[in-house]
Amino acid sequence: MNNRLASLVEILLVSMRLGFTSFGGPVAHLGYFHEEYVRRRKWMDEKSYADLVALAQFLPGPASSQVGIGIGVMRAGVLGGIVSFIGFTLPSVVALILFALVLMNFDVANAGWIQGLKIVAVAVVAHAILGMAKNLTPTLKTKALALFALVGTLVWQVAGAQIIVILLAALFGFLLFKDAQGDSTTGSTFPVTKRVGVMCLSLFFGLLIALPLVREMTGSYWVAIVDSFYRSGSLVFGGGHVVLPLLEQEFVPTGWISEESFLAGYGATQAVPGPLFTFAAYIGAVMNGWQGGLIGTIAIFLPAFLLIVGTLPFWDILRNHSKIRGAIVGVNAAVVGILISAFYFPIWTSSILSAMDFALAAVLFSMLAFWKLPPWIVVVSGVVGGSLLTLI
């Protein structure tokens, strides 16, 4: 018992230190994890880590968080996964909740630094689109799927349009890329039984189906909030930036959060370490204080936890199934188009209002893409630049 407790405390401390220092997005996070967990502490070997990263990339949700959860599970069971998640996520959650509470207490709707944060969002998403397009749409077929998703979500701006586009892309991928290549070798043994895996997957799909029904039947505000966060967290393929259009569709048209506050929070999220999904903590806190921030965080990360634990025992079967890999290829291509759609509306249309705004966005983008500066420097520069623009 003492050894188990000591192991859990160690996981918490190590993951929390990573949560305070892991800037740069999911790819950078995976590098930090490899250095800490594989090279330094030797909690797992190279093959096990590669298998875990491959599984996280295969699933919807925040890849780096799912890898962190998986490492905790392999180290100390399901409780270890929970502790690892808390440690890695808590620093950015606290920072964004505090930022949201400060934002609520001041009239900052027309503040220059808020405009600067909105322009930061333009630069960050543009940079993410270029990187994702290069990796996820290498062929004419995948580019066509991305174009389909882009046009579909721009023309058909109704509730659920993005979800339908993702499902159609999965179907097209299943049919078009059935010979998708992947790793056909056998993998590591993960310390989760198939029974636990089935329970987690059943809960994942059960909540995905039940929450909208309960929301409709009860009209409960809190059920609606949990449903919106949970569904957004369940359908994000391709990285944390893709959660932006899903959350925008769920929370801005309903009036739960203004477009200005939404984009300002997204810009601020770039300045904190840890996963981009903690943007949910900011949205929840703007709507309902710190309690809303915690509920938003739990609801958006719960699908990722259920999926990674649920699929660990079945990973070898999934990755060796070419048609399933093909469906994922289709979905990944579609999310590029969805992100471009979100880049135009609401990000571009509400942020770039003048030639000076565009000039600042170009500078911030160059800082990210060409000079490879840390995201927090880009955010600070955006805040300063936005403030200066109000004086011109």
Side-chain angles (χ1 to χ4, degrees):
M1 183 66 178
N2 288 336
N3 289 338
R4 181 172 175 80
L5 180 60
S7 181
L8 291 174
V9 170
E10 184 183 22
I11 292 171
L12 178 64
L13 294 177
V14 173
S15 60
M16 186 170 290
R17 183 170 63 80
L18 287 168
F20 274 109
T21 58
S22 294
F23 290 90
V27 175
H29 298 165
L30 295 177
Y32 293 131
F33 287 174
H34 183 270
E35 180 66 29
E36 183 69 31
Y37 294 128
V38 179
R39 291 186 178 177
R40 184 179 175 194
R41 298 186 178 272
K42 302 187 186 304
W43 283 3
M44 61 198 323
D45 58 30
E46 295 280 355
K47 182 65 168 64
S48 298
Y49 184 74
D51 282 347
L52 189 57
V53 171
L55 174 57
Q57 299 288 356
F58 179 88
L59 297 171
S64 59
S65 295
Q66 287 171 316
V67 169
I69 292 168
I71 290 170
V73 169
M74 296 178 75
R75 183 71 175 172
V78 174
L79 190 57
I82 294 173
V83 170
S84 178
F85 160 74
I86 292 173
F88 184 59
T89 310
L90 188 62
S92 52
V93 167
V94 171
L96 289 170
I97 288 177
L98 291 175
F99 176 73
L101 297 179
V102 169
L103 200 69
M104 291 166 56
N105 292 326
F106 295 93
D107 182 16
V108 294
N110 298 312
W113 64 274
I114 290 292
Q115 177 64 11
L117 282 176
K118 291 163 66 176
I119 296 173
V120 167
V122 173
V124 168
V125 176
H127 186 232
I129 288 171
L130 289 181
M132 291 174 63
K134 180 179 179 181
N135 295 323
L136 302 179
T137 58
T139 67
L140 285 177
K141 287 181 180 179
T142 52
K143 287 179 172 64
L145 273 178
L147 180 61
F148 157 75
L150 165 62
V151 174
T153 50
L154 279 179
V155 173
W156 193 28
Q157 293 188 9
V158 297
Q162 291 159 354
I163 297 172
I164 294 172
V165 165
I166 288 173
L167 294 176
L168 287 174
L171 176 61
F172 289 145
F174 184 85
L175 298 173
L176 295 174
F177 308 110
K178 57 185 178 182
D179 297 322
Q181 297 299 309
D183 179 10
S184 60
T185 60
T186 56
S188 306
T189 300
F190 296 108
V192 178
T193 65
K194 290 186 177 181
R195 181 181 179 184
V196 171
V198 169
M199 290 172 59
C200 288
L201 292 176
S202 299
L203 184 57
F204 167 78
F205 287 108
L207 289 172
L208 194 60
I209 295 169
L211 282 171
L213 297 177
V214 175
R215 175 180 184 170
E216 190 69 25
M217 291 169 56
T218 64
S220 168
Y221 172 77
W222 285 105
V223 172
I225 296 296
V226 172
D227 173 47
S228 293
F229 279 119
Y230 185 87
R231 189 166 59 253
S232 297
S234 301
L235 298 169
V236 173
F237 285 86
H241 292 289
V242 185
V243 81
L244 173 72
L246 293 175
L247 290 175
E248 191 275 337
Q249 187 184 62
E250 291 289 341
F251 292 99
V252 175
T254 58
W256 285 340
I257 183 173
S258 70
E259 199 167 274
E260 291 75 19
S261 294
F262 182 89
L263 290 174
Y266 186 75
T269 304
Q270 313 305 316
V272 298
L276 286 172
F277 268 47
T278 52
F279 182 34
Y282 166 84
I283 294 176
V286 167
M287 294 190 298
N288 298 290
W290 66 267
Q291 300 95 330
L294 292 180
I295 289 174
T297 302
I298 293 169
I300 202 168
F301 278 102
L302 181 58
F305 185 89
L306 295 174
L307 281 172
I308 192 70
V309 176
T311 53
L312 279 174
F314 307 104
W315 173 224
D316 286 334
I317 298 173
L318 289 172
R319 68 172 169 178
N320 292 330
H321 198 296
S322 61
K323 290 187 176 180
I324 293 179
R325 290 200 303 268
I328 299 302
V329 170
V331 170
N332 284 337
V335 299
V336 173
I338 291 173
L339 194 54
I340 297 173
S341 173
F343 178 69
Y344 171 72
F345 178 82
I347 298 176
W348 183 276
T349 55
S350 62
S351 302
I352 306 302
L353 308 177
S354 68
M356 295 302 293
D357 289 341
F358 181 76
L360 178 58
V363 170
L364 297 176
F365 176 81
S366 299
M367 293 170 70
L368 269 177
F370 308 136
W371 301 328
K372 310 296 184 183
L373 295 178
W376 68 269
I377 293 180
V378 178
V379 173
V380 171
S381 300
V383 168
V384 173
S387 300
L388 292 175
L389 287 180
T390 61
L391 304 177
I392 298 176

